[in-house]
């Protein structure tokens, strides 16, 4: 037995901030101190607080160290692990109060969270199936195979109220029921959509990296419920750590007999293949995803027929998102009642959000449905940095919309978000402050969809391009009021006429910003002004002569040589030369340069 | 692994290990003084004896942890046992053998081992 466990985050966030070197240094330091038999080092998945990585947590004390450097390792080993003295200086500052060290669960970031899908992330070593089993892993599969009928499983899911976490919010139990009943016999498939492509979203990646076995277990349960013996996980190749851990997990699952023939001696057989996506956003759309698994170019197809009837290789197929699967073993073990006791009337359970943008605690949070945006942003997320004012939150990525401050207190669930013109999406939540220009944001997302439109249908292929061009014109100060009307008309046309979800939702960023921030569009068009000071063509920099001391700092930093003046006399910016980089503003100590 | 019984065997083996990683605020805490004085007096084998003893006896809801100098260096290795709702019990001049006895008597049977209690004159 080890007396102490040191958990190091091995998620993508912390890996890119150097957790692999820290792990190496830690292991060698532990060996040096002859503690190898007493202290176990475990590389886990994501803890959620990516902004403070690399993160390390030492049990049994539960000390949460953040932003660790390799140089800190000898001190942590000799002080904490050897002598039991917590190194306060390196602790996550939220856990340190004047006279005591708080438990992690009492910090603002964690106390409102409720971890179901992420329950093992940051707790177990994802590369060790036995640790997953130690946390009741594969027990749900055992229960399903030995105690429940196919209909029992489906009924449990229906009763739980679980809805698809990939964005659409379709009831999972209903999807399974259709796949079981529409076609009774023959080959069927179970697929997992791990092609998480929304900019700023990384919930699914964290589950795959931190708890890959939960997906395998849930897919096997799905296979039993609908009568399938083969599954596919479609994961994007841009997630190398997730792919590697999935491969390890699949191999271990086969070795331990929870995949393969005659699982738990029940006669049920199931196996899973891994398919890597080549980076096309449209492949996150279900029909395009299946076309891609079949080996064809990833393009969507009209529905119906729905996958439950004719899906992969024209056989009945269910396709669920990673986070949806991650909830299922817990629902089987704890019961539908347990799950449906969390959340709102029509949206049960919890939802994982990837917090990003202008927020203190960038990272991953899981909260019960019905939590308000205010709680997520202000309490868990720690608010907006630098004393700036909150302007809007963007949910649902390129398919979603912006939620302005007046809707800060609505409980987050599928239906509420749609009512206010956004959508749940996969759970990316990008926070924007007063320095973000909403026209520019809409343009950013349209640029993305123009790039990612597969080109199969005209409304999406040409429509998004035209939308982008109008937005570009507006940000350059060349827009007219008719352009604003045309934006709206074209958006609605694209929504109604596109073939798949990508095109049908692509205008959402435009429509929602038009709905809540029309004044900003009008400011760009009529006043030729960008209120947030983002659109370069509408900006000009000026030096206020009374405040300028003539220190020359701005002239020296200007890359375009646009600032002239002699020492101790006010300087002047030549607007024809100025490239509006803002370097002078940052350099000026007297606040003499203003952006207009 | 072919059967549910085998799955359960693995779970039983691993549960204790992974269980260390869940913060346990209501259970019993065994705290071993592990400052320089404690280590010099032999606190490490004591700590390990507690860890293994608790695991062997499959005792649940018990955290074995360490702390810095308790301030009574001449009595090290010192071990404090905090049970919810009871007064703290402090054992002094512990050894691995004494630790095993404390596990057996105090933690399993609930009888404080009086002869090992700290005795400050």
């Amino acid at each position: 037995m080890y007396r102490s466990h040191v958990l190091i985050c091995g998620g993508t966030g912390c890996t890119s901030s150097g957790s692999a070197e820290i792990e190496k240094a830690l292991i060698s330091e532990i060996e040096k101190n002859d503690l190898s038999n007493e202290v176990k080092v475990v590389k886990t998945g994501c803890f959620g607080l990516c902004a403070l990585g690399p993160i390390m947590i030492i049990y049994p004390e539960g000390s949460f160290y953040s932003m660790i450097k390799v140089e800190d390792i000898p001190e942590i080993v000799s002080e904490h692990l050897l002598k039991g003295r917590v190194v306060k200086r390196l602790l996550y500052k939220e856990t340190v109060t004047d006279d005591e060290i708080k438990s992690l669960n009492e910090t603002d970031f964690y106390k409102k969270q409720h971890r179901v899908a992420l329950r093992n992330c940051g707790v177990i070593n994802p590369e060790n199936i036995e640790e997953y089993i130690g946390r009741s892993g594969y027990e749900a599969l055992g229960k399903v195979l030995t105690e429940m009928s196919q209909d029992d499983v489906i009924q449990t899911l229906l009763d739980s109220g679980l809805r698809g976490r990939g964005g659409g919010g379709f009831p999972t139990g209903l999807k399974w029921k259709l796949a079981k009943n529409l076609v009774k016999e023959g080959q069927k498939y179970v697929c997992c959509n791990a092609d998480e492509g929304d900019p700023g979203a990384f919930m699914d990646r964290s589950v795959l990296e931190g708890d890959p076995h939960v997906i395998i277990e849930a897919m096997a349960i799905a296979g039993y419920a609908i009568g399938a013996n083969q599954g596919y996980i479609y994961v994007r190749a841009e997630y190398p750590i997730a792919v590697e851990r999935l491969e390890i997990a699949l191999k271990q699952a086969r070795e331990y007999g929870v995949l393969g023939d005659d699982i738990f001696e029940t006669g049920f057989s199931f196996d899973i293949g891994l398919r890597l996506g080549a980076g096309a956003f449209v492949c996150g759309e279900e029909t395009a995803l299946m076309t891609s698994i079949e080996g064809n170019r990833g393009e969507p197809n009209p529905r119906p027929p729905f996958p439950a009837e004719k899906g992969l290789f024209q056989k009945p197929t269910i396709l669920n998102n990673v986070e949806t699967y991650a909830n299922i073993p817990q629902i089987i073990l704890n019961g539908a009642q347990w799950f449906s006791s969390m959340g709102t009337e029509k949206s049960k359970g919890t939802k994982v959000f990837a917090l990003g943008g202008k927020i203190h605690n960038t990272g991953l949070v899981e909260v019960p449905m019905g939590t308000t945006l205010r709680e997520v942003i202000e309490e868990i997320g720690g608010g907006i940095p630098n004393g700036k004012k909150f302007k809007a939150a963007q949910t649902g990525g390129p398919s979603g919309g912006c939620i302005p401050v007046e809707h800060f207190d609505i409980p987050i669930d599928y239906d509420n978000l749609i009512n206010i013109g956004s959508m749940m999406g996969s759970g990316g939540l990008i926070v924007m402050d007063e320095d973000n220009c909403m026209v520019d944001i809409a343009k950013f997302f349209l640029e993305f969809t123009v790039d990612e439109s597969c080109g199969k249908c005209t409304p999406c292929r040409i429509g998004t391009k035209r939308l982008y061009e109008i937005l570009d014109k507006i940000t350059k100060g060349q827009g007219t009021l008719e352009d604003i009307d045309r934006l709206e008309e074209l958006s609605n046309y694209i929504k109604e006429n596109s073939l798949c979800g990508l095109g049908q939702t692509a205008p959402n960023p435009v429509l929602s910003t038009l709905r809540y921030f029309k004044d900003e569009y009008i400011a760009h068009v009529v006043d030729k002004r960008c209120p947030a000071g983002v659109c370069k063509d509408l900006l000009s920099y000026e030096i206020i002569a009374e405040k300028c001391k003539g220190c020359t700092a701005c002239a020296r930093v200007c890359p375009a040589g646009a600032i002239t003046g002699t020492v101790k006399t006010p300087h002047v910016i030549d607007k024809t030369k100025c490239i509006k980089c803002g370097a002078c503003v940052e350099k000026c100590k007297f606040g003499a340069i203003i952006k207009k | 692994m072919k059967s549910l019984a085998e799955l359960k065997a693995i779970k039983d083996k691993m549960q204790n290990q992974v269980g260390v990683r869940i913060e346990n605020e209501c259970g019993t805490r065994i705290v071993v003084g592990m400052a320089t004085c404690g280590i010099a007096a032999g606190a490490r084998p004591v700590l390990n004896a507690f860890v293994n003893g608790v695991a062997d006896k499959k005792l649940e809801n018990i955290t074995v942890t360490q702390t810095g100098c308790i301030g009574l260096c001449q009595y090290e290795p010192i071990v404090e046992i905090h049970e919810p709702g009871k007064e703290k019990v402090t054992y002094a001049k512990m050894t691995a053998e004494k630790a095993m006895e404390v596990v057996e008597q105090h933690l399993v049977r609930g009888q404080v081992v009086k002869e090992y209690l700290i005795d400050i004159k």
Side-chain angles (χ1 to χ4, degrees):
Chain A
M1 282 297 282
Y2 295 94
R3 65 172 166 87
S4 183
H5 290 206
V6 182
L7 274 54
I8 299 181
C9 176
T12 294
C14 286
T15 302
S16 55
S17 57
S19 70
E21 288 84 68
I22 288 185
E23 187 194 4
K24 224 185 286 165
L26 184 71
I27 290 173
S28 87
E29 194 66 26
I30 285 175
E31 274 167 14
K32 218 191 286 173
N33 282 279
D34 196 22
L35 289 169
S36 302
N37 294 325
E38 299 175 25
V39 178
K40 183 176 187 176
V41 177
V42 188
K43 191 167 75 182
T44 71
C46 183
F47 290 91
L49 248 183
C50 310
L52 296 177
I55 281 165
M56 179 195 283
I57 182 161
I58 300 184
Y59 285 108
E61 291 82 9
S63 308
F64 191 88
Y65 292 108
S66 62
M67 293 170 134
I68 302 292
K69 294 189 206 62
V70 171
E71 304 89 89
D72 298 327
I73 297 300
E75 185 178 351
I76 292 178
V77 172
S78 68
E79 283 294 299
H80 188 143
L81 294 175
L82 196 59
K83 295 180 182 167
R85 288 194 288 243
V86 174
V87 187
K88 268 195 180 177
R89 154 181 96 77
L90 297 170
L91 286 179
Y92 172 35
K93 65 178 189 313
E94 284 273 316
T95 62
V96 186
T97 52
D98 288 342
D99 47 353
E100 59 167 345
I101 294 169
K102 276 198 292 185
S103 151
L104 197 56
N105 294 328
E106 291 166 31
T107 60
D108 287 340
F109 185 74
Y110 285 103
K111 85 180 161 203
K112 288 218 163 169
Q113 292 202 44
H114 190 85
R115 300 195 145 206
V116 178
L118 297 178
R119 69 189 283 272
N120 286 331
C121 285
V123 177
I124 63 166
N125 176 353
E127 298 181 4
N128 182 348
I129 189 174
E130 295 203 351
E131 293 208 350
Y132 178 69
I133 295 172
R135 296 268 289 160
S136 306
Y138 291 108
E139 238 176 84
L141 179 62
K143 180 176 171 187
V144 162
L145 294 183
T146 55
E147 296 169 23
M148 295 170 83
S149 72
Q150 289 173 284
D151 290 321
D152 288 345
V153 177
I154 290 170
Q155 196 56 46
T156 304
L157 280 189
L158 283 170
D159 293 344
S160 74
L162 177 66
R163 294 169 68 174
R165 297 293 192 247
F170 192 79
T172 308
L174 191 55
K175 198 182 254 188
W176 291 21
K177 192 175 174 180
L178 291 172
K180 172 177 176 276
N181 293 336
L182 280 180
V183 181
K184 301 264 184 220
E185 295 295 313
Q187 181 68 49
K188 296 181 186 179
Y189 295 104
V190 171
C191 294
C192 173
N193 185 346
D195 191 62
E196 183 178 50
D198 289 1
F202 52 94
M203 301 72 51
D204 297 346
R205 185 188 73 203
S206 293
V207 173
L208 296 172
E209 286 174 359
D211 197 11
H213 284 284
V214 76
I215 305 301
I216 297 173
E217 182 177 7
M219 286 177 74
I221 292 170
Y224 172 75
I226 69 159
N229 63 7
Q230 177 66 41
Y232 291 100
I233 301 175
Y234 188 85
V235 58
R236 57 203 308 240
E238 293 95 324
Y239 284 175
I241 298 178
V243 171
E244 188 193 326
R245 294 199 183 141
L246 275 172
E247 279 168 352
I248 294 169
L250 286 170
K251 185 163 163 273
Q252 289 179 347
R254 288 187 196 110
E255 274 165 22
Y256 279 73
V258 287
L259 280 184
D261 291 331
D262 195 18
I263 297 168
F264 294 134
E265 297 167 324
T266 57
F268 173 67
S269 301
F270 191 77
D271 207 344
I272 295 175
L274 205 55
R275 294 291 179 272
L276 304 194
F281 181 64
V282 73
C283 289
E285 196 279 337
E286 61 177 13
T287 58
L289 185 150
M290 290 184 295
T291 312
S292 179
I293 292 180
E294 289 167 1
N296 301 315
R297 181 186 177 129
E299 283 181 342
N301 292 303
R303 295 177 301 185
F306 285 92
E309 197 185 339
K310 273 188 182 172
L312 187 61
F313 302 114
Q314 301 299 305
K315 302 291 181 196
T317 303
I318 53 166
L319 180 66
N320 286 119
N321 160 270
V322 170
E323 192 190 331
T324 314
Y325 281 125
N327 282 294
I328 289 172
Q330 287 307 300
I331 295 175
I332 299 289
L333 287 178
N334 299 328
Q337 180 87 45
W338 163 81
F339 190 78
S340 65
S341 69
M342 297 178 285
T344 62
E345 197 198 332
K346 288 189 175 157
S347 304
K348 301 298 186 190
T350 59
K351 178 77 191 84
V352 184
F353 288 99
L355 282 183
K358 307 280 180 63
I359 190 149
H360 266 292
N361 299 331
T362 308
L364 210 61
V365 305
E366 181 170 356
V367 290
M369 293 275 190
T371 306
T372 66
L373 208 51
R374 186 185 299 281
E375 287 172 286
V376 173
I377 292 172
E378 287 186 352
E379 295 176 32
I380 299 174
I384 321 275
N386 307 322
K388 297 277 183 180
K389 268 217 318 270
F390 173 82
K391 186 187 239 174
Q394 212 278 349
T395 64
S399 314
C402 293
I403 304 169
V405 73
E406 60 255 38
H407 290 309
F408 227 32
D409 286 309
I410 64 150
I412 305 176
D413 70 9
Y414 290 100
D415 311 289
N416 281 342
L417 287 182
I418 287 183
N419 287 339
I420 57 169
S422 185
M423 66 183 277
M424 183 75 83
S426 52
L429 207 157
I430 301 167
V431 180
M432 289 172 282
D433 68 7
E434 51 191 311
D435 290 344
N436 288 102
C437 165
M438 302 317 280
V439 185
D440 185 63
I441 294 288
K443 190 173 104 173
F444 167 81
F445 282 113
L446 259 296
E447 189 181 357
F448 180 83
T449 33
V450 168
D451 237 22
E452 295 293 348
S453 171
C454 75
K456 186 168 178 174
C457 74
T458 320
C460 176
R461 183 183 68 238
I462 300 176
T464 55
K465 177 78 178 160
R466 292 290 168 268
L467 270 186
Y468 173 79
E469 285 167 0
I470 299 173
L471 289 169
D472 191 49
K473 201 173 142 194
I474 294 175
T475 58
K476 289 196 165 123
Q478 297 156 359
T480 60
L481 284 171
E482 290 75 55
D483 283 331
I484 299 183
D485 295 336
R486 203 166 295 140
L487 272 181
E488 202 162 344
E489 191 193 336
L490 184 53
S491 291
N492 288 323
Y493 178 81
I494 298 171
K495 259 177 104 98
E496 283 160 21
N497 295 295
S498 293
L499 170 60
C500 81
L502 197 160
Q504 287 157 12
T505 58
N508 282 352
V510 180
L511 287 172
S512 76
T513 49
L514 268 177
R515 177 167 167 186
Y516 295 113
F517 300 97
K518 200 159 194 169
D519 52 327
E520 284 197 29
Y521 280 85
I522 291 172
H524 281 77
V525 170
V526 178
D527 310 335
K528 309 290 176 207
R529 189 173 65 84
C530 175
V534 173
C535 300
K536 282 192 176 173
D537 292 299
L538 302 178
L539 278 185
S540 67
Y541 287 88
E542 265 176 39
I543 296 175
I544 305 169
E546 298 86 68
K547 282 193 181 171
C548 179
K549 307 271 189 233
C551 72
T552 76
C554 56
R556 273 178 282 143
V557 79
C558 178
I563 304 181
T564 49
T566 46
V567 183
K568 292 190 180 165
T569 56
H571 283 47
V572 187
I573 299 177
D574 179 350
K575 286 180 189 164
T576 56
K577 283 189 186 165
C578 175
I579 56 163
K580 296 155 188 174
C581 64
C584 52
V585 180
E586 276 169 35
K587 209 75 193 173
C588 182
K589 286 184 196 143
F590 310 103
I593 305 178
I594 53 159
K595 194 160 78 164
K596 282 213 288 199
Chain B
M1 180 170 73
K2 262 290 138 209
S3 67
L4 283 176
E6 286 168 77
L7 181 75
K8 191 168 179 308
I10 298 176
K11 182 183 170 184
D12 288 345
K13 179 183 85 181
M14 295 302 294
Q15 205 165 19
N16 248 324
Q17 295 190 26
V18 184
V20 174
R21 299 175 206 159
I22 312 302
E23 276 187 68
N24 174 357
E25 276 151 22
C26 48
T28 299
R29 289 173 64 233
I30 305 172
V31 180
V32 183
M34 283 277 279
T36 308
C37 49
I39 295 171
R44 268 173 74 179
V46 173
L47 179 65
N48 289 323
F50 272 110
V51 171
N52 292 325
V54 168
D56 286 348
K57 303 278 178 203
K58 294 201 163 45
L59 300 176
E60 282 176 11
N61 238 354
I62 293 185
T63 310
V64 183
T65 180
Q66 46 173 341
T67 187
C69 181
I70 295 171
L72 291 159
C73 309
Q74 54 175 323
Y75 292 99
E76 292 282 3
I78 294 176
V79 174
E80 297 177 341
I81 299 191
H82 303 256
E83 286 171 285
K86 290 188 193 169
E87 269 212 20
K88 170 180 84 179
V89 175
T90 306
Y91 293 107
K93 298 195 173 169
M94 293 295 284
T95 62
E97 293 71 37
K98 289 179 178 176
M100 294 310 290
E101 216 178 316
V102 169
V103 170
E104 185 63 40
Q105 298 291 334
H106 186 152
L107 299 174
V108 177
R109 294 189 195 148
Q111 290 161 349
V112 174
V113 191
K114 293 206 176 99
E115 53 193 297
Y116 301 153
L117 286 181
I118 195 160
D119 184 13
I120 304 170
K121 296 207 171 80

